[in-house]
Amino acid sequence: MSGLLRIPAADEARFWNRVDKGAANGCWEWQGALSLGYGGFSIAGKTWRVHRLSYSLIVGEIPKGLVLDHLCRNRACVNPGHLEAVTDRVNVLRGIGLTAMQARQRRCKEGHEFTDENTYISTRGSRECRTCNATRSREKSRVRRDCSICGKTMLRSGMARHIRRMHGDSAGGVQ
């Protein structure tokens, strides 16, 4: 049994005494205190998340760079059969949080389909709709502004040309 965590027998007995294996759904429910749904257990001054401890005792070491995903979606479950070692990204995307919900969306908020041709990744790392972006760009260019020199109202897209042609050097260096 190499790779399995070894702890003092008294601590292991104390740990398993707090686990209820009788749930109908197959979950092994932690009966101790919970924080954000996860149980904690201390051994020799080190506090373990109980699902990680159970996995380490029965399956073995959690591979570096991986986290345990509760396949049953029950954070209090310590059944290693309900736990899978996955990357943090996989764990987040399988969840029900905002990031996971947005990743599962197939259309933008305006109803355009997220396809390879209609989607790009912004500098912030989010998916963006090319159709919506093009529409926003066209609308921005149609915004009317008043010239700060003569007060004439015109499309924003023509303001720089107006200043160059009509005001030249009197625009304070604007070219």
Side-chain angles (χ1 to χ4, degrees):
M1 285 198 184
S2 67
L4 297 181
L5 179 67
R6 298 180 199 285
I7 61 173
D11 287 328
E12 187 168 353
R14 188 169 55 93
F15 172 78
W16 292 115
N17 282 337
R18 293 190 184 167
V19 175
D20 177 10
K21 295 181 180 178
N25 60 4
C27 287
W28 297 358
E29 297 267 350
W30 178 248
Q31 300 300 300
L34 300 174
S35 174
L36 300 174
Y38 295 100
F41 186 78
S42 292
I43 302 171
K46 179 182 177 185
T47 301
W48 289 75
R49 291 280 175 133
V50 292
H51 63 289
R52 294 177 63 84
L53 180 58
S54 172
Y55 187 93
S56 297
L57 287 169
I58 296 175
V59 177
E61 186 176 339
I62 301 165
K64 286 238 185 275
L66 300 183
V67 297
L68 294 179
D69 181 20
H70 283 89
L71 301 174
C72 58
R73 296 285 158 247
N74 177 2
R75 293 177 179 177
C77 179
V78 301
N79 181 346
H82 290 192
L83 303 171
E84 182 181 5
V86 297
T87 64
D88 190 49
R89 177 175 171 74
V90 168
N91 189 30
V92 168
L93 293 178
R94 285 180 176 175
I96 59 170
L98 182 60
T99 301
M101 289 189 308
Q102 287 176 336
R104 286 190 286 270
Q105 285 180 334
R106 297 291 165 239
R107 297 183 176 278
C108 76
K109 60 185 174 185
E110 296 298 325
H112 306 118
E113 192 171 357
F114 281 128
T115 63
D116 289 341
E117 299 80 27
N118 191 41
T119 308
Y120 70 96
I121 306 299
S122 75
T123 55
R124 295 183 332 247
S126 62
R127 279 187 310 178
E128 300 288 338
C129 172
R130 290 185 190 279
T131 304
C132 288
N133 189 43
T135 302
R136 275 192 304 274
S137 294
R138 282 192 303 276
E139 288 171 357
K140 276 185 183 178
S141 68
R142 291 189 184 124
V143 173
R144 295 195 169 272
R145 298 275 190 244
D146 293 335
C147 175
S148 59
I149 299 167
C150 67
K152 182 177 178 184
T153 301
M154 68 193 71
L155 292 177
R156 186 179 115 181
S157 59
M159 185 64 69
R161 184 180 45 192
H162 163 78
I163 291 174
R164 275 194 312 275
R165 287 185 178 167
M166 302 304 291
H167 304 295
D169 289 335
S170 67
V174 176
Q175 296 187 21

